Amino acid sequence: MKIEIADSKGMKILSISGDIDMHTSPDLRRELMGLVHKKMTPILVDFGSVTYIDSSGIATFVEGLKGMMAYGGKLKLVGIPPKVMEIFCFAKLDRVFEIHGSEEDVCNR
Amino acid sequence: MGGMKDSAVIAVPSNPKYLSLIRAVTATMGEIYGMAGPVIEDVKLAVDEACSNVMKYAYRGDTSKRIIIRFVLKKGFEVIIEDNGIKAQPELIEGRSLSDVRPGGLGIHLIKRAFDVFAFDEKKKRGNRLRLIRHRGESDEDRDSRQ
């Protein structure tokens, strides 16, 4: 898994590629919670190149979301591939997270 | 596949960096069994979750131990996961309610949606032997019928 962090139009963008599992999710957690502790908002996570996610990855995003809710931050998930989206839906998290098709969709709102 | 029994065994260190190897072997065994793509994804995730649980709970993060994963393809798709760690307490293994939004507790649901049987072998004295069986269903035969 690789994570790139960029600034764009006032947003922090985390672009993730590869597999998110119990081996890689600690790196993701460190990056995401680092931004949460600085009370960054909005944070946009680009899933476009994510090939796999397990429950440890899902738990990391739930933790990030809960951390951001404490200061009114917005966590936006974009470009989630169908097989990853299926896990969010199974966990009933598709209605909890703000999910967009692409970065452009977020910017156009 | 005929009447021949296909099987494979892998032994990996209890280190999360081996989860990708476990997933790759699971997916290949699913292909050999003739599972459809989406079913392979579910089974791969379930075996990953079960092995992650061994690393987390049975071995409590000790990466120097060993996990043995045995695949037996017969009438069903069977995966047997063995460790020598702390005994699981099946009666306490319960996922979170899916409507309760919090980190953790999802893995067990992902295992049980992919496998019809989720059972610890009570005969194993030390450690755990988890038997997962997915019975052959219509979705598993999709690929067979196309070939």
Side-chain angles (χ1 to χ4, degrees), chain A residues 77-95:
Chain A
L77 311 183
V78 304
I80 303 180
K83 69 180 182 182
V84 173
M85 188 66 201
E86 194 265 326
I87 311 298
F88 275 94
C89 293
F90 175 75
K92 297 186 176 169
L93 293 171
D94 51 319
R95 286 165 283 175

Side-chain angles (χ1 to χ4, degrees), chain B residues 62-102:
Chain B
D62 183 343
T63 56
S64 68
K65 304 295 183 186
R66 199 164 71 141
I67 305 174
I68 298 168
I69 304 142
R70 188 182 307 270
F71 299 87
V72 182
L73 315 185
K74 233 162 116 185
K75 283 183 183 169
F77 185 90
E78 186 171 351
V79 186
I80 300 148
I81 300 167
E82 286 192 59
D83 66 71
N84 285 311
I86 299 161
K87 268 220 171 295
Q89 292 176 279
E91 66 279 10
L92 299 181
I93 297 176
E94 195 180 306
R96 67 164 164 88
S97 161
L98 287 174
S99 53
D100 176 15
V101 179
R102 62 173 167 81

